[in-house]
Amino acid sequence: AEFELARIQDATVDIHGVIPTLLNYGNLQLRTASEHERFIFKQVWHPHAAKDEIVRACLAERTRKENQSTTLY
């Protein structure tokens, strides 16, 4: 399944257990405003950093789209 980056509404990280905490891996869940609402990426290395990067990219994409729609030709 696919989704548009700008349609991400929420990103959460779940890390359970001592080993995942020590090794810094966990599940990353993205919620979108699309047909397939939830996407779960399991056993992601550095999930908080991945989440932060996805949120930054999402905001940049939204800004880019807003600027495109307000540009006069």
Side-chain angles (χ1 to χ4, degrees):
E2 296 179 2
F3 62 90
E4 288 185 42
L5 192 57
R7 295 182 64 102
I8 294 174
Q9 294 180 331
D10 186 39
T12 57
V13 171
D14 293 319
I15 300 174
H16 298 287
V18 175
I19 301 296
T21 300
L22 291 174
L23 297 178
N24 197 13
Y25 70 89
N27 298 337
L28 174 60
Q29 178 175 293
L30 303 176
R31 291 193 191 136
T32 66
S34 66
E35 184 178 318
H36 303 284
E37 294 180 356
R38 289 185 345 167
F39 293 85
I40 299 173
F41 300 90
K42 295 185 177 189
Q43 298 182 352
V44 175
W45 190 50
H46 294 285
H48 290 287
K51 178 190 121 186
D52 292 344
E53 189 63 32
I54 289 169
V55 169
R56 272 192 286 277
C58 176
L59 293 174
E61 180 67 9
R62 285 181 188 164
T63 301
R64 186 187 70 76
K65 283 188 172 199
E66 287 173 6
N67 290 340
Q68 269 185 341
S69 66
T70 59
T71 302
L72 299 175
Y73 292 96

